[in-house]
């Protein structure tokens, strides 16, 4: 007999599926009627195209291995070995999913399209001058004058990453793809470190297989947002170590440094600060960390400001550029609920069921008093902070489409909710199935 708690899990997953199906049907109607979504397969930035590739057998092998052996290894391995294995498995999962589209289309050419950062490498031969003149090229003022969409849509820290890779001999789309996948896979480790520091090691161990097989890996490989996700996740992880550890000042300074860099990789990732506030609520060394945190935060903004880049001017010009393009036409009323529907695919059905279970944990703990006295509700608070960041991004109106990629730095935290699920193997398998279906049925892009 199926217990009522398992029925609630299944009902939550079914509701998430129905939300996504509704977004697909309504989105197709809008696109076919007036074309205001500017997408081939709404709500995703993708095109229908069933296919297989060299990554298909590898992806299946990785998925089966994690489903069968993941929970047991996560429970038994020494902590540091678990982190290393989780990182390696996440990297293998992301690589194999990317290679379903083939080496060229899936990895080497991803960051070389007309929208991407590698298109402007030669315009940064003089970096100080490029930074001083960066804001002059944000608005659309002619076919050659303005920056490509992704360059204009981000602070110059994003583009400078690939410029510097090129300077050290790692130029071109292939190296850019390798960078994003390699760095992006470490985000799983950052989440595990954070969960252990703020909640409990047992919860982190149970969450590990869900984080490894996160469906969002479809978009982690290969997009610059995978790299952004890792930088933001490590900023939060260092902050978690600062508020709970023995040497809070050094960790807090490092967290601030990475948060400052995060803000100069993407304007929207200032909202990672909301997750940071959740960490602060759960921490102990609050007074000791604030000064070194602020000291770290100002380093990157100060460096860019002294180099001549005006962050706030650039952001206001970006808003204008956003409204010059599809963002100014796409209907807000649709995307305000279709974006969360996209997030269902990024985090997986297990995450949805786990979040519902987490809500139940918090309710029961509130009735008993001492909400933050045990590990489970502490993990829920961290997850709620990530959900709040997503909500603010959603309501802002600056996230219309492509949130399956753009919201990765927020969404990566949510699969930790899998720690609340009993009988994990079935749910871990569900995570893998979502990713495999998306990557084999659709040509994703950005």
């Amino acid at each position: 007999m199926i217990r009522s708690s398992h029925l609630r899990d299944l009902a939550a997953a079914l509701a998430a599926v129905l939300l996504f199906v509704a977004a697909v049907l309504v989105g197709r109607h809008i696109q076919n009627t007036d074309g205001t979504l500017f997408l081939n397969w709404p709500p995703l930035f993708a095109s229908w195209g069933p296919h297989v590739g060299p990554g298909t057998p590898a992806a299946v092998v990785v998925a089966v291995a994690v489903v069968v052996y993941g929970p047991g290894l996560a429970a038994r391995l020494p902590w540091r070995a678990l982190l290393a294995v989780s990182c390696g498995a996440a990297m293998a999962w992301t690589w194999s999913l990317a290679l379903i589209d083939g080496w060229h289309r899936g990895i080497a050419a991803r960051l070389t399209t007309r929208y991407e950062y590698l298109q402007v490498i030669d315009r940064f031969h003089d970096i100080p001058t490029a930074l001083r003149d960066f804001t002059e090229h944000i608005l659309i003022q002619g076919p050659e004058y303005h920056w490509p969409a992704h360059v204009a849509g981000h602070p110059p820290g994003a583009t400078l990453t690939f410029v510097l890779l090129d300077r050290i001999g790692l130029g071109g789309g292939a190296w850019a793809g390798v960078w994003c996948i390699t760095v992006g896979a470490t985000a799983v480790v950052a989440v595990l470190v954070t969960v252990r520091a703020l909640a409990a090691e047992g919860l982190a161990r149970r969450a590990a297989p869900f984080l490894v097989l996160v469906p969002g890996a479809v978009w982690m490989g290969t997009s610059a947002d995978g790299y952004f996700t890792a930088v933001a996740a490590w900023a939060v992880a260092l902050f978690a170590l600062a508020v709970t550890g023995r040497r809070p000042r050094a960790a807090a300074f490092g967290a601030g440094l990475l948060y400052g860099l995060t803000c100069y990789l993407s304007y929207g990732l200032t909202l990672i600060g909301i997750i940071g506030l959740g960490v602060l609520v759960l921490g102990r060394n609050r007074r000791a960390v604030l000064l070194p945190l602020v000291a770290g935060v100002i380093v990157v903004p100060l460096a860019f400001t002294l180099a001549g880049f005006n962050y706030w001017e650039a952001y206001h010009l970006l808003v204008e550029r956003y409204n010059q393009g599809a963002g100014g036409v796409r209907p807000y009323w649709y995307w305000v609920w279709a974006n969360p529907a996209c997030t269902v695919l990024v985090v997986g059905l297990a995450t949805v069921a786990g979040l519902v279970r987490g809500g139940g944990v918090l309710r029961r703990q509130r009735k008993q008093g001492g909400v933050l006295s045990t590990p489970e509700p502490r993990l829920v608070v961290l997850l709620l902070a990530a959900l709040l960041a997503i909500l603010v991004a959603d309501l802002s109106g600056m996230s219309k489409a492509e949130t399956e990629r753009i919201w990765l730095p927020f969404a990566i935290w949510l699969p930790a909710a899998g720690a609340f699920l009993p009988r994990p193997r079935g749910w871990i398998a569900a995570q893998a199935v979502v990713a495999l279906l998306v990557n084999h049925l659709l040509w994703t892009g950005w």
Side-chain angles (χ1 to χ4, degrees):
M1 183 176 179
I2 300 178
R3 295 174 58 183
S4 60
S5 57
H6 295 306
L7 288 175
R8 283 195 296 271
D9 296 340
L10 294 173
L14 178 60
V17 170
L18 293 177
L19 175 65
F20 182 75
V21 170
V24 172
L25 295 178
V26 174
R28 289 178 67 86
H29 174 74
I30 297 171
Q31 183 63 20
N32 293 336
T33 302
D34 56 26
T36 55
L37 298 187
F38 298 94
L39 296 175
N40 293 324
W41 209 85
L44 300 177
F45 194 93
S47 300
W48 179 258
H51 62 284
V52 296
T56 296
V60 173
V61 168
V62 172
V64 171
V66 175
V67 170
V68 174
Y69 300 107
L73 287 174
R76 294 193 306 270
L77 284 174
W79 175 249
R80 291 186 179 181
L82 173 61
L83 295 182
V85 170
S86 296
C87 186
M91 197 177 300
W93 179 236
T94 308
W95 270 104
S96 59
L97 289 174
L99 287 171
I100 290 171
D101 294 349
W103 170 258
H104 179 75
R105 181 166 186 165
I107 295 174
R110 284 286 196 186
L111 297 170
T112 64
T113 69
R114 63 192 180 95
Y115 303 108
E116 289 287 0
Y117 308 97
L118 270 62
Q119 289 292 321
V120 301
I121 297 297
D122 59 341
R123 294 171 65 177
F124 276 75
H125 59 87
D126 183 343
I127 292 177
T129 299
L131 290 177
R132 287 195 298 271
D133 297 340
F134 192 87
T135 57
E136 297 179 12
H137 306 288
I138 293 177
L139 296 180
I140 298 176
Q141 302 179 42
E144 302 296 335
Y145 191 73
H146 61 269
W147 297 122
H150 287 184
V151 178
H154 296 79
T159 305
L160 272 183
T161 299
F162 300 103
V163 171
L164 294 176
L165 284 175
D166 183 77
R167 293 283 177 89
I168 64 173
L170 303 180
W175 280 116
V178 169
W179 169 264
C180 291
I181 290 176
T182 303
V183 177
T186 69
V188 170
V189 179
V191 176
L192 292 175
V193 168
T194 304
V195 173
R196 182 187 190 231
L198 297 177
E201 183 175 315
L203 287 173
R205 288 178 177 275
R206 294 204 296 273
F210 294 96
L211 289 161
V212 166
L213 289 188
V214 61
V218 170
W219 296 276
M220 295 278 280
T222 305
S223 77
D225 294 86
Y227 157 52
F228 302 164
T229 297
V231 176
W234 280 109
V236 175
L238 285 177
F239 193 42
L241 293 175
V243 299
T244 60
R246 298 177 182 178
R247 298 179 180 177
R249 292 177 178 82
F253 180 81
L257 194 65
L258 287 182
Y259 178 66
L261 175 59
T262 298
C263 294
Y264 276 74
L265 294 174
S266 174
Y267 297 104
L269 293 189
T270 54
L271 296 178
I272 290 295
I274 295 176
I275 303 178
L277 289 175
V279 171
L280 191 64
V281 167
L282 296 171
R284 298 187 301 269
N285 307 319
R286 296 171 188 171
R287 293 183 180 180
V289 303
L290 291 181
L291 187 58
L293 177 71
V294 172
V297 166
I298 65 175
V299 172
V300 172
L302 182 62
F304 274 97
T305 301
L306 292 176
F309 173 69
N310 188 320
Y311 187 94
W312 295 110
E313 179 188 5
Y315 175 73
H316 290 300
L317 290 171
L318 164 65
V319 174
E320 188 175 345
R321 167 75 180 265
Y322 186 76
N323 290 319
Q324 284 180 326
V329 179
R330 286 170 172 155
Y332 178 87
W333 69 266
Y334 172 75
W335 289 108
V336 77
W337 63 272
N339 284 333
C342 290
T343 305
V344 168
L345 288 193
V346 177
V347 302
L349 300 180
T351 299
V352 176
L355 289 171
V356 171
R357 288 233 176 201
V361 166
L362 202 60
R363 286 193 299 272
R364 288 193 297 272
Q365 195 68 25
R366 287 184 62 186
K367 292 179 180 178
Q368 297 170 6
V371 173
L372 303 182
S373 60
T374 57
E376 287 81 5
R378 292 173 66 83
L379 175 57
V380 175
V381 169
L382 180 64
L383 299 175
L384 287 175
L387 284 171
L388 180 58
I390 289 175
L391 177 62
V392 174
D394 192 32
L395 296 177
S396 72
M398 290 294 289
S399 295
K400 298 175 186 173
E402 298 185 63
T403 52
E404 63 270 23
R405 169 183 61 82
I406 297 169
W407 286 359
L408 282 170
F410 311 125
I412 192 64
W413 297 91
L414 300 182
F420 296 124
L421 294 172
R423 301 177 183 177
R425 284 188 173 86
W427 287 109
I428 297 168
Q431 298 288 85
V433 167
V434 169
L436 291 171
L437 285 176
V438 169
N439 223 147
H440 282 93
L441 295 179
L442 300 172
W443 292 106
T444 56
W446 34 86

